[in-house]
């Protein structure tokens, strides 16, 4: 579970929060290269807004935004 304190975070911020990326530039590249699914739909936009209740799968690992 990824807990946020704001209305939403972006996919790029999420990748950094979960330690898939250490920098924004790295997260930008990973958004295009990794197999990322948000709420059942393939996603590669680094600016995609993730809100509480969203389910994100990255390379077979599943996360839920709280």
């Amino acid at each position: 579970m990824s807990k946020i304190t704001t209305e939403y975070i972006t996919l790029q911020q999420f990748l950094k929060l979960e330690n898939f990326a250490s920098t924004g530039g790295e997260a930008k590249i990973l958004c295009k290269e990794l197999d990322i699914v948000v709420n059942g739909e393939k996603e590669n936009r680094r600016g995609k807004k993730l809100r509480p209740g969203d389910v994100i799968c990255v390379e077979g690992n599943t996360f839920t935004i709280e």
Side-chain angles (χ1 to χ4, degrees), residues 2-66:
S2 297
K3 190 168 179 74
I4 61 173
T5 57
T6 57
E7 179 184 351
Y8 66 87
I9 62 171
T10 64
L11 180 56
Q12 178 174 312
Q13 291 169 320
F14 171 80
L15 291 175
K16 292 190 320 188
L17 177 71
E18 291 297 333
N19 297 314
F20 283 98
S22 55
T23 66
E26 187 179 359
K28 179 180 180 179
I29 293 167
L30 291 177
C31 283
K32 300 293 183 191
E33 293 180 352
L34 293 179
D35 181 28
I36 302 172
V37 177
V38 177
N39 297 327
E41 295 186 23
K42 179 126 175 75
E43 187 59 68
N44 64 4
R45 297 173 294 163
R46 65 187 169 117
K48 169 71 175 167
K49 294 177 181 175
L50 305 175
R51 293 182 163 77
D54 285 346
V55 177
I56 302 94
C57 294
V58 181
E59 295 292 306
N61 298 299
T62 303
F63 306 87
T64 303
I65 302 293
E66 267 189 9

